[in-house]
Amino acid sequence: MAREITYANAVLEATTQCMESDASVYIIGLGVPDPKGVFGTTLGLQEKFGRVRVLDMPVAENAMTGIAIGSALVGMRPIMTHQRIDFMLLSLDQIINNAAKWHYMFGSKMSVPLVIRLLVGRGWGQGPQHSQSLQALFAHIPGLKVVMPTTPSDAKGLLISAIQDDNPVIYIEHRWLHGTFGDVPKEMFTVPIGKARIMKIGRDVTVVTSSYTTLEVMKAARLLSEDGIDIEIVDLRTIKPLDEEAIAASLEKTGRLLVVDGAWKSFGVSAEIIALASEKSFAALKAAPRRLAFPDVPTPTSWALANHYYPRTIDIVNEVRCLLNKSQLTESALGIDPETPLDVPDKNFTGPF
Amino acid sequence: MAREITYANAVLEATTQCMESDASVYIIGLGVPDPKGVFGTTLGLQEKFGRVRVLDMPVAENAMTGIAIGSALVGMRPIMTHQRIDFMLLSLDQIINNAAKWHYMFGSKMSVPLVIRLLVGRGWGQGPQHSQSLQALFAHIPGLKVVMPTTPSDAKGLLISAIQDDNPVIYIEHRWLHGTFGDVPKEMFTVPIGKARIMKIGRDVTVVTSSYTTLEVMKAARLLSEDGIDIEIVDLRTIKPLDEEAIAASLEKTGRLLVVDGAWKSFGVSAEIIALASEKSFAALKAAPRRLAFPDVPTPTSWALANHYYPRTIDIVNEVRCLLNKSQLTESALGIDPETPLDVPDKNFTGPF
Amino acid sequence: MRKDSALSLYYQMLRIRMVEEAIARVYTQWQMRCPVHLCIGQEAVAAGLCANLLKKDYVLSNHRSHGHYLAKGGSLKAMFSEIYGKENGCSGGKGGSMHLVDLDAGILGSTPIVAGIIPVAAGVAFGIQMKKEHSISVAFFGDAATEEGVFAESLNFAALKKLPVIFVCENNYFSVYSPLSVRQPKKRNNLSIARGFGVEGEEGDGNDVEYVFKAAKKAVMYARSLRGPYYLQFDTYRFREHCGPNFDNELGYRTEIEFSRWCKRCPLETYQRKLLHKGSITAKIINEYKTGIQLEINEAVSFAQKSPFPKPGEAFTGVYA
Amino acid sequence: MRKDSALSLYYQMLRIRMVEEAIARVYTQWQMRCPVHLCIGQEAVAAGLCANLLKKDYVLSNHRSHGHYLAKGGSLKAMFSEIYGKENGCSGGKGGSMHLVDLDAGILGSTPIVAGIIPVAAGVAFGIQMKKEHSISVAFFGDAATEEGVFAESLNFAALKKLPVIFVCENNYFSVYSPLSVRQPKKRNNLSIARGFGVEGEEGDGNDVEYVFKAAKKAVMYARSLRGPYYLQFDTYRFREHCGPNFDNELGYRTEIEFSRWCKRCPLETYQRKLLHKGSITAKIINEYKTGIQLEINEAVSFAQKSPFPKPGEAFTGVYA
Ligand SMILES: Cc1ncc(C[n+]2csc(CCOP(=O)(O)OP(=O)(O)O)c2C)c(N)n1
Ligand SMILES: Cc1ncc(C[n+]2csc(CCOP(=O)(O)OP(=O)(O)O)c2C)c(N)n1
Ligand SMILES: [Mg+2]
Ligand SMILES: [Mg+2]
């Protein structure tokens, strides 16, 4: 039975159901049991499951990650949360040197079933140290899996898969998705790690994207369709391992590729997808593949600058049009208000960020 | 005046000359003043420049990086060394959140002229935590520059450029290069950051590579030339910012691209180069671009496994042949001993690693 | 305490308080589009500490930095412009409230990664030492920052090299909504930890500005005479919400009783009462102060509001020096 | 000390010493193609500590782990096979000397990232606590590891949760060739630091196996009775080079005088003299021990040498569970 709930609620529901069905699952992170409950994703968990399994922690990301790893070695299944992915940079030693390698380097004798939930911030002047989107760093590391669900339903199904997975899984949530609604099955279900979702079937151009950016691509798709341009949207859902087949199958059909990634362009996830397509679908490509991503610049704080930092819907439209050798359009031609601020998910937003 | 010296000596000479000519340059790192002197690259510096400017440090990579940054803010030019790039994972917070962004996030009021020398290990069973090659992580971060010199001469010229640069520069040295010889000018000179070197001119296939891997590609080039195949070798020297023009110019000529990278394949530096080529040189490409890199697997320790982990010269040869639609060869056909161990730079090597 | 010093401490606290309250007021016009972490209730630490510093001394701070910035002499106009995201903000609009800087005043930066500036401040002291200068470096941070490993690592190196750095911990008992009890063992004692590293220090009432002033004076003399680093911990309390212009007791993470107990110990009001009582200050002077500061604030706010936003292209400049 | 306990301590030290010396001997055949960090000179810590542990207790260790592995009951054959890079090595050849494991013996792993296993060991204790099991967890690490921030972070969390974990620092005064003096302030005291976090502890002579045994006994009782973490620091000395089979005094990073002073305090020889003197042991027993151990070693070495290498494809398996 599905009902409409928010992404945040879907995350909460997945956590709740996993904790109900498996006593070894616990959740730890800054503010997990606090009144805001990590933007609602952990609200009420401590009341339900107690202080042992639902807990706050010291601001000590590296050791706390090692501690989660240690507990996993003796049979626990930790979920660790970070309110921003930027803070996780303190724990890359434990994530990369230990969690990602423990299974391999000890000859498959142990495993580290650890989920690390990382939130990507955007807007309201969070600036250079609170708006990074670092999926590319994890995607490069063997031994890690990386998922970035877009819809509430995938948020739930992928979180359950991540918790049940015996490997360290990096689960990345875009802050602007928490408030979005979608149909989500009430019961426990899984979305397989490693499978993309065709968000929209189309024939002209394959647009590969993920997470919040998928919503922007869907907006662009509607605008494009008004001009008779029919894009196919591949929502990756999982960044590592990539669903190479889904990308190749779509390219076989369209022959044209745009990758839209909500992160820095150079050496990012978008590069890997273009590389894959060029290697494996070369014959199918009718035009040079393109990517649209953040400029190689730290995130500026002033909304006057953020407005020009983040790609706009018009940019997606024009990238697609470019792939089809069509003229570039302006926002006013499409009826988009060029004053739309990009530092808030909608005009009435005033936080919390 | 140039003479033949080792790569390690070139690094030492660059450091010495920079310290002589600029009193604000200092060098700090584990074992910098010890009797081994970071594989010879810092030997004698403390005797020459004293204990204030040449110093050991506590095993505390994150704070020590922050400390180097702080000193740079008040006018010093620190060089920090890490005996393995793997240890640097402890300091990514300071490198990415602070060093890379300080200039931008404070409106260009300050800069962080910091050089971080990182050594990449290989072989003699150093295994999963001492043989990583993490250039891709840095290359993704705006505000950082990343160089990986191959020849002793470039090692010197790029280190001097790095020290003179007002930005944080990640300087990556492959451990197996330290003992290699080459002509190096005696005087102080710079190699510009951001410029690749055409190591060998050729017409059939463009092979883009860097650091130690360049030497392997050169071996392959000799074998290939025996069959009349003439590759062009682009030694990147700088990973960030990439010399896009050099790559494009070479592709314009050859139309065929192989990227060989001494690091994990997925989401690696090789992906960015293929992506760039596909985007910008699409019309020139006569065949699907290819990449050869490490498998997406932690480094195994046993030399029996390492022997199958690292790409071999034959693999480079065959990748090139594949691009030219030529049959694949065996090692014996090329007169290579298939028993050549890949965990040592040469058969008589027994350390130090 | 000399009367002029006392008045100056009072004035600094009052000014910080009034600036923070002005921000809280204008914030709800939603034109300051960035997170703000107000230090209302904690002014004594900034005022008492910085009163001992010279212009050439350096300060680095965290997300809750307005007080430190102002007490050290940072430009009010540049700060308001920065929070409004304007071109002439102290960081050109690229940083916002969480990234204040004023090189002329020796403020080398503030950043919101918890504990991120602790080693940087130690490094500034290291640079000072190598250059044989006579300034000192100060790091301001919260109780949560002492949980990060870099705190211990920085104490170790600062003690090893006898660096002229003062570590100032403002213990307001919370990290966001998380009390000390869920983060630090009951028996933990930061002063003992610092001493375990060989770092001298002192701990006390962070709402008593004269105490802060005196403790800081010792610390500054110690560091300036090149005897080494110093650790100061001041217990205090944040009155407003962790981040934003409002109060947040209704969330229930702290009790009204606790809150009002601390309000009675408001560093500004208690000091004002004390000075009035001693006759060091009069209601008239207080009003003059307030009028002057209000004028200054109004000017700065309207300056900031009228200032132009950075040009779009500015987003892409300044990545590299 | 009961005689059988004393003999067992002696036997453990002797066995570790003989294994390490065997490695040193065969190493120069260059068939052990991986770095080895021998613990010759430091055997008392491993022997004295592990004598107090039960099979169900967990141990994690660092790069210098052979002694800990053997004292906790790790398989000798699997260890030699691992160092030789063989298929039946304890980590299937994927880890080598720096990554030893033996789940049957409660050895959850050793890794060479300095301090990397300290939080992991605390996490094991956290898992034990959550699962309400009665085992304890032990982390072995060197003096350099206490400089890493995770050390402090781990002490904090272990004390906060009263975790059944023992932190064992083997202070051999060096990190590679770097003496304490270039890394830690003179006045630094790890025990005070631990206590500053609320962690009980003790420090003493790591070359006196009976002392280690007794200190560890207290620590184990403390942790096992769920009173919380315990910090132990043992001063000792490494006789061989930092990494590899040889001696390295000729490098000049330590003096011959210092070296020979420590040699006189060799934990094995001093204990052997003591036991002989007390009549607890005879030359005959010693010889029996040595013969038995040598036999065991010879067998393990030849077992390892004869064992097959992992199949090439093994390089690519086991990345994911
Ligand atoms: C490394 C890191 N982890 C977590 C956070 C999230 N965070 C922002 S402010 C804050 C609280 C900091 O508390 P404290 O240092 O005591 O300062 P206070 O806010 O109480 O002044 C936290 C945890 C962060 N910014 N950086
Ligand atoms: C994080 C990290 N930094 C640096 C190193 C390099 N390194 C290898 S062993 C070692 C010395 C460690 O000294 P200690 O912990 O005292 O152990 P010991 O070798 O003396 O037994 C160092 C610094 C490392 N392995 N990991
Ligand atoms: Mg606080
Ligand atoms: Mg040591």
Side-chain angles (χ1 to χ4, degrees):
Chain A
M1 213 264 309
R3 29 334 56 110
E4 267 220 331
I5 58 173
T6 62
Y7 192 99
N9 264 320
V11 169
L12 176 59
E13 197 168 89
T15 310
T16 307
Q17 292 177 351
C18 288
M19 292 189 73
E20 276 165 352
S21 67
D22 184 345
S24 60
V25 176
Y26 74 98
I27 180 163
I28 183 167
L30 296 181
V32 160
D34 82 16
K36 297 268 177 89
V38 190
F39 305 104
T41 60
T42 60
L43 278 180
L45 287 176
Q46 197 173 58
E47 290 69 21
K48 204 168 270 160
F49 299 104
R51 286 163 181 271
V52 172
R53 292 176 66 199
V54 182
L55 64 167
D56 214 312
M57 67 180 200
V59 189
E61 287 79 2
N62 203 28
M64 292 315 303
T65 305
I67 284 162
I69 293 169
S71 74
L73 295 181
V74 290
M76 301 302 293
R77 303 185 84 87
I79 307 170
M80 174 164 285
T81 65
H82 292 291
Q83 306 241 11
R84 285 293 175 279
I85 200 170
D86 314 65
F87 313 153
M88 163 288 312
L89 287 170
L90 283 150
S91 56
L92 278 180
D93 163 49
Q94 286 295 330
I95 296 176
I96 296 179
N97 281 330
N98 280 347
K101 297 178 177 53
W102 208 276
H103 183 69
Y104 184 87
M105 72 188 170
F106 293 111
S108 305
K109 290 211 169 138
M110 286 163 282
S111 60
V112 180
L114 162 67
V115 177
I116 304 183
R117 285 181 48 203
L118 299 169
L119 275 59
V120 172
R122 171 168 168 171
W124 205 260
Q126 289 177 79
Q129 293 182 330
H130 277 60
S131 326
Q132 296 174 84
S133 195
L134 301 167
Q135 56 266 33
L137 268 52
F138 298 110
H140 186 50
I141 308 298
L144 298 180
K145 298 184 178 181
V146 185
V147 301
M148 298 184 75
T150 302
T151 67
S153 174
D154 285 343
K156 179 171 176 184
L158 274 168
L159 184 52
I160 294 172
S161 285
I163 295 170
Q164 293 178 347
D165 199 288
D166 280 335
N167 300 286
V169 180
I170 307 296
Y171 182 98
I172 300 178
E173 302 159 42
H174 195 286
R175 180 63 198 97
W176 284 11
L177 290 174
H178 284 133
T180 60
F181 281 86
D183 277 347
V184 179
K186 199 165 188 173
E187 64 281 3
M188 205 162 165
F189 72 100
T190 58
V191 167
I193 294 175
K195 286 273 164 250
R197 173 199 283 282
I198 306 301
M199 275 295 232
K200 175 186 170 309
I201 296 178
R203 59 165 196 270
D204 297 327
V205 171
T206 298
V207 182
V208 177
T209 184
S210 62
S211 189
Y212 177 73
T213 312
T214 307
L215 303 191
E216 307 211 310
V217 173
M218 284 167 70
K219 263 190 252 169
R222 284 190 290 276
L223 294 170
L224 285 159
S225 73
E226 288 167 19
D227 278 333
I229 298 173
D230 182 21
I231 63 172
E232 176 145 311
I233 305 178
V234 181
D235 176 14
L236 287 173
R237 304 200 289 192
T238 295
I239 305 297
K240 190 184 188 78
L242 272 178
D243 188 348
E244 301 187 12
E245 287 75 32
I247 299 169
S250 181
L251 282 177
E252 214 48 58
K253 183 165 62 170
T254 66
R256 292 187 163 83
L257 172 64
L258 169 66
V259 184
V260 188
D261 186 29
W264 292 311
K265 181 170 177 175
S266 292
F267 302 90
V269 165
S270 58
E272 175 64 28
I273 292 154
I274 304 246
L276 264 182
S278 310
E279 286 173 319
K280 307 224 166 143
S281 307
F282 188 71
L285 289 180
K286 298 178 199 152
R290 299 183 66 85
R291 54 186 154 158
L292 180 65
F294 298 172
D296 292 321
V297 173
T299 321
T301 295
S302 172
W303 64 296
L305 297 174
N307 256 6
H308 301 276
Y309 177 82
Y310 290 108
R312 312 176 77 93
T313 313
I314 184 76
D315 299 320
I316 303 173
V317 167
N318 279 331
E319 285 289 329
V320 168
R321 292 180 63 89
C322 189
L323 274 161
L324 294 163
N325 285 316
K326 305 219 177 211
S327 62
Q328 300 289 288
L329 300 179
T330 60
E331 291 193 312
S332 51
L334 282 172
I336 306 174
D337 177 1
E339 296 302 308
T340 314
L342 298 192
D343 71 329
V344 285
D346 60 72
K347 282 195 175 172
N348 302 318
F349 181 92
T350 56
F353 16 85
Chain B
M1 212 265 308
R3 62 272 101 95
E4 268 220 332
I5 58 172
T6 63
Y7 192 100
N9 264 321
V11 170
L12 176 59
E13 196 167 270
T15 310
T16 307
Q17 291 177 351
C18 287
M19 292 187 74
E20 276 166 352
S21 68
D22 184 345
S24 60
V25 176
Y26 74 100
I27 181 163
I28 183 168
L30 296 181
V32 160
D34 82 15
K36 296 267 175 91
V38 191
F39 306 104
T41 60
T42 61
L43 278 180
L45 288 176
Q46 197 173 58
E47 290 69 21
K48 204 169 271 161
F49 300 104
R51 286 163 180 270
V52 172
R53 292 176 67 198
V54 182
L55 65 166
D56 214 313
M57 68 180 199
V59 189
E61 287 80 0
N62 204 29
M64 293 314 303
T65 305
I67 284 162
I69 293 168
S71 73
L73 295 181
V74 290
M76 302 302 293
R77 303 186 84 87
I79 307 170
M80 175 164 285
T81 65
H82 293 291
Q83 307 242 9
R84 285 293 175 276
I85 200 170
D86 313 65
F87 313 153
M88 162 288 311
L89 287 170
L90 282 151
S91 56
L92 278 180
D93 163 50
Q94 285 295 329
I95 296 175
I96 296 180
N97 281 330
N98 280 347
K101 298 178 175 54
W102 208 276
H103 183 69
Y104 184 86
M105 71 188 170
F106 293 111
S108 305
K109 291 212 169 138
M110 288 164 280
S111 59
V112 180
L114 163 66
V115 177
I116 304 183
R117 286 180 47 203
L118 299 169
L119 275 59
V120 171
R122 171 168 167 171
W124 204 261
Q126 289 176 78
Q129 294 181 331
H130 277 61
S131 325
Q132 296 173 84
S133 194
L134 300 167
Q135 56 266 34
L137 268 52
F138 298 110
H140 187 50
I141 308 298
L144 298 180
K145 297 184 179 181
V146 184
V147 300
M148 297 184 75
T150 303
T151 67
S153 172
D154 286 343
K156 179 171 175 184
L158 275 167
L159 184 52
I160 294 172
S161 285
I163 296 170
Q164 293 178 348
D165 199 288
D166 279 335
N167 300 286
V169 181
I170 308 296
Y171 182 98
I172 300 178
E173 303 159 41
H174 195 286
R175 181 63 198 97
W176 285 10
L177 290 173
H178 285 133
T180 60
F181 281 86
D183 276 347
V184 179
K186 199 164 187 174
E187 63 282 5
M188 205 162 165
F189 72 100
T190 58
V191 168
I193 293 175
K195 287 272 164 250
R197 174 199 283 280
I198 306 301
M199 275 294 232
K200 174 186 170 309
I201 296 178
R203 59 165 194 273
D204 297 328
V205 171
T206 297
V207 183
V208 176
T209 185
S210 63
S211 190
Y212 177 73
T213 313
T214 307
L215 303 192
E216 306 211 311
V217 173
M218 284 167 70
K219 263 190 251 168
R222 283 191 290 276
L223 294 170
L224 285 159
S225 73
E226 289 168 17
D227 279 331
I229 299 172
D230 182 22
I231 64 173
E232 175 144 313
I233 305 178
V234 181
D235 176 13
L236 287 172
R237 303 199 290 192
T238 294
I239 305 295
K240 190 182 189 79
L242 272 177
D243 187 347
E244 300 187 13
E245 287 76 32
I247 299 169
S250 180
L251 282 177
E252 214 48 60
K253 182 166 61 171
T254 66
R256 292 186 163 83
L257 172 64
L258 170 65
V259 184
V260 188
D261 186 29
W264 292 310
K265 181 170 177 175
S266 293
F267 302 90
V269 165
S270 59
E272 176 64 29
I273 292 155
I274 304 245
L276 264 183
S278 310
E279 286 173 319
K280 309 225 165 142
S281 306
F282 188 71
L285 290 180
K286 297 178 200 153
R290 300 182 66 85
R291 54 185 154 158
L292 180 65
F294 297 172
D296 292 321
V297 173
T299 321
T301 295
S302 172
W303 64 297
L305 296 174
N307 255 7
H308 300 275
Y309 177 82
Y310 290 108
R312 311 176 76 91
T313 313
I314 184 75
D315 299 320
I316 303 173
V317 167
N318 278 332
E319 285 289 329
V320 168
R321 292 179 63 89
C322 189
L323 274 161
L324 294 164
N325 285 317
K326 306 220 177 209
S327 62
Q328 300 289 288
L329 301 179
T330 60
E331 291 192 312
S332 50
L334 281 173
I336 305 174
D337 178 1
E339 297 301 307
T340 314
L342 298 192
D343 71 329
V344 286
D346 61 73
K347 281 194 177 174
N348 303 318
F349 181 91
T350 57
F353 15 84
Chain C
M1 180 72 49
R2 280 173 40 178
K3 189 181 149 191
D4 57 345
S5 303
L7 289 188
S8 158
L9 287 176
Y10 172 76
Y11 178 85
Q12 283 300 336
M13 286 200 291
L14 178 66
R15 183 162 174 267
I16 296 169
R17 172 70 55 95
M18 288 177 69
V19 169
E20 295 291 66
E21 284 180 342
I23 292 174
R25 267 195 313 278
V26 296
Y27 197 82
T28 49
Q29 302 165 354
W30 311 119
Q31 293 308 308
M32 290 179 159
R33 294 168 84 98
C34 70
V36 289
H37 301 79
L38 305 182
C39 68
I40 296 176
Q42 308 186 191
E43 297 89 345
V45 178
L49 201 302
C50 292
N52 289 285
L53 299 181
L54 304 177
K55 194 166 174 185
K56 67 177 179 181
D57 294 329
Y58 297 107
V59 155
L60 288 113
S61 168
N62 62 0
H63 53 289
R64 201 173 305 288
S65 69
H66 299 175
H68 315 134
Y69 174 93
L70 292 171
K72 184 65 173 63
S75 152
L76 186 66
K77 284 184 177 166
M79 169 175 152
F80 269 110
S81 271
E82 188 59 35
I83 304 179
Y84 273 107
K86 298 303 178 72
E87 179 183 72
N88 51 10
C90 59
S91 297
K94 285 172 177 166
S97 157
M98 305 196 293
H99 298 280
L100 299 184
V101 64
D102 190 329
L103 296 188
D104 291 336
I107 298 157
L108 289 179
S110 56
T111 73
I113 298 293
V114 169
I117 57 84
I118 297 179
V120 177
V124 167
F126 189 41
I128 290 170
Q129 186 184 66
M130 284 190 282
K131 292 166 71 189
K132 301 205 168 84
E133 292 179 359
H134 292 288
S135 40
I136 65 170
S137 171
V138 177
F140 285 103
F141 50 88
D143 45 295
T146 65
E147 294 154 22
E148 289 284 7
V150 282
F151 170 63
E153 293 177 353
S154 301
L155 287 175
N156 184 69
F157 190 74
L160 177 70
K161 295 290 175 189
K162 295 195 191 303
L163 300 180
V165 57
I166 304 177
F167 300 104
V168 184
C169 175
E170 289 181 77
N171 171 30
N172 64 8
Y173 300 90
F174 285 93
S175 166
V176 193
Y177 314 118
S178 304
L180 276 177
S181 61
V182 302
R183 302 179 284 120
Q184 299 183 14
K186 263 212 196 69
K187 291 190 187 157
R188 177 174 171 145
N189 182 313
N190 283 339
L191 200 55
S192 304
I193 292 171
R195 294 211 175 107
F197 283 99
V199 176
E200 270 313 309
E202 172 163 347
E203 185 185 354
D205 183 357
N207 280 19
D208 175 349
V209 71
E210 293 198 354
Y211 166 73
V212 173
F213 178 81
K214 283 173 199 155
K217 191 178 200 74
K218 258 191 277 176
V220 169
M221 278 174 52
Y222 190 89
R224 204 182 300 286
S225 60
L226 305 180
R227 290 167 65 201
Y230 210 89
Y231 178 77
L232 289 172
Q233 182 160 316
F234 298 113
D235 302 332
T236 180
Y237 203 74
R238 146 175 72 73
F239 288 168
R240 298 279 172 136
E241 59 185 337
H242 165 68
C243 177
N246 304 307
F247 294 90
D248 64 357
N249 296 344
E250 77 285 359
L251 289 175
Y253 71 100
R254 53 188 193 182
T255 65
E256 285 295 345
I257 299 169
E258 174 183 300
F259 179 75
S260 56
R261 225 177 22 227
W262 277 99
C263 283
K264 287 199 197 92
R265 296 179 50 203
C266 168
L268 181 64
E269 286 170 21
T270 52
Y271 199 50
Q272 181 173 307
R273 271 199 301 277
K274 181 172 168 180
L275 293 184
L276 281 168
H277 184 76
K278 283 173 77 178
S280 312
I281 206 168
T282 61
K284 182 157 168 287
I285 299 181
I286 293 175
N287 272 333
E288 275 168 26
Y289 281 1
K290 286 190 177 164
T291 315
I293 294 169
Q294 198 54 56
L295 210 70
E296 193 197 2
I297 290 173
N298 294 347
E299 247 180 52
V301 169
S302 91
F303 170 83
Q305 285 174 334
K306 279 186 217 138
S307 293
F309 283 109
K311 282 168 227 23
E314 274 305 303
F316 313 104
T317 64
V319 181
Y320 294 97
Chain D
M1 179 72 49
R2 282 173 39 179
K3 190 180 149 192
D4 57 345
S5 304
L7 289 189
S8 157
L9 287 177
Y10 172 76
Y11 178 84
Q12 283 300 337
M13 286 201 292
L14 179 66
R15 183 161 173 268
I16 296 169
R17 172 70 55 96
M18 288 177 70
V19 168
E20 294 293 66
E21 283 181 342
I23 293 173
R25 267 196 312 279
V26 296
Y27 197 83
T28 49
Q29 300 165 355
W30 311 118
Q31 292 309 308
M32 289 179 160
R33 294 168 85 97
C34 70
V36 290
H37 301 80
L38 304 183
C39 68
I40 296 176
Q42 308 186 191
E43 296 91 345
V45 179
L49 200 302
C50 291
N52 289 285
L53 299 180
L54 304 176
K55 195 167 172 181
K56 66 177 180 182
D57 293 330
Y58 297 108
V59 155
L60 287 112
S61 168
N62 63 358
H63 54 290
R64 200 173 304 287
S65 69
H66 299 175
H68 314 135
Y69 174 93
L70 292 172
K72 184 65 174 62
S75 153
L76 186 67
K77 283 184 177 167
M79 170 176 152
F80 268 110
S81 271
E82 188 59 36
I83 303 179
Y84 273 107
K86 298 304 177 73
E87 179 183 71
N88 52 9
C90 59
S91 297
K94 285 171 177 166
S97 157
M98 304 196 294
H99 297 281
L100 299 184
V101 63
D102 189 329
L103 296 188
D104 291 337
I107 298 156
L108 289 179
S110 56
T111 72
I113 297 293
V114 169
I117 57 84
I118 296 179
V120 178
V124 166
F126 189 40
I128 289 170
Q129 185 185 66
M130 283 190 282
K131 293 167 70 190
K132 301 204 167 83
E133 292 179 1
H134 292 287
S135 40
I136 66 170
S137 170
V138 177
F140 286 103
F141 50 88
D143 46 295
T146 66
E147 293 154 21
E148 290 284 7
V150 282
F151 170 63
E153 294 178 352
S154 301
L155 287 175
N156 183 68
F157 190 74
L160 177 69
K161 296 289 175 188
K162 297 195 191 301
L163 300 181
V165 57
I166 304 178
F167 300 104
V168 184
C169 175
E170 289 180 75
N171 172 30
N172 63 9
Y173 300 90
F174 284 93
S175 167
V176 193
Y177 315 117
S178 304
L180 278 176
S181 60
V182 301
R183 301 179 284 119
Q184 299 183 13
K186 263 212 195 69
K187 291 192 186 154
R188 177 174 171 144
N189 181 313
N190 283 339
L191 200 54
S192 304
I193 292 171
R195 293 210 175 109
F197 283 98
V199 176
E200 269 314 308
E202 173 164 346
E203 185 185 353
D205 183 357
N207 279 19
D208 175 348
V209 72
E210 292 198 354
Y211 167 73
V212 173
F213 179 81
K214 283 172 200 156
K217 190 178 201 73
K218 259 191 277 177
V220 168
M221 278 174 53
Y222 189 89
R224 204 182 299 286
S225 60
L226 305 179
R227 291 168 64 200
Y230 209 89
Y231 178 77
L232 289 172
Q233 182 161 316
F234 298 114
D235 302 331
T236 179
Y237 203 74
R238 146 174 74 72
F239 288 169
R240 299 276 172 138
E241 60 186 337
H242 165 69
C243 177
N246 304 308
F247 293 91
D248 65 356
N249 295 344
E250 78 285 359
L251 289 175
Y253 70 100
R254 53 188 193 182
T255 64
E256 284 295 344
I257 299 169
E258 174 182 300
F259 180 75
S260 56
R261 228 181 16 231
W262 277 98
C263 284
K264 286 199 197 93
R265 296 180 48 202
C266 168
L268 180 64
E269 285 170 21
T270 51
Y271 199 48
Q272 180 175 307
R273 272 199 302 277
K274 180 172 169 180
L275 293 184
L276 282 169
H277 184 77
K278 282 173 77 180
S280 314
I281 206 169
T282 60
K284 182 155 166 289
I285 299 182
I286 293 174
N287 271 334
E288 275 168 25
Y289 281 1
K290 285 190 176 164
T291 314
I293 294 168
Q294 197 55 56
L295 209 71
E296 192 198 3
I297 291 173
N298 294 348
E299 248 179 53
V301 169
S302 91
F303 169 84
Q305 286 175 332
K306 280 186 216 139
S307 293
F309 282 111
K311 283 169 228 20
E314 275 304 304
F316 312 104
T317 65
V319 181
Y320 294 96

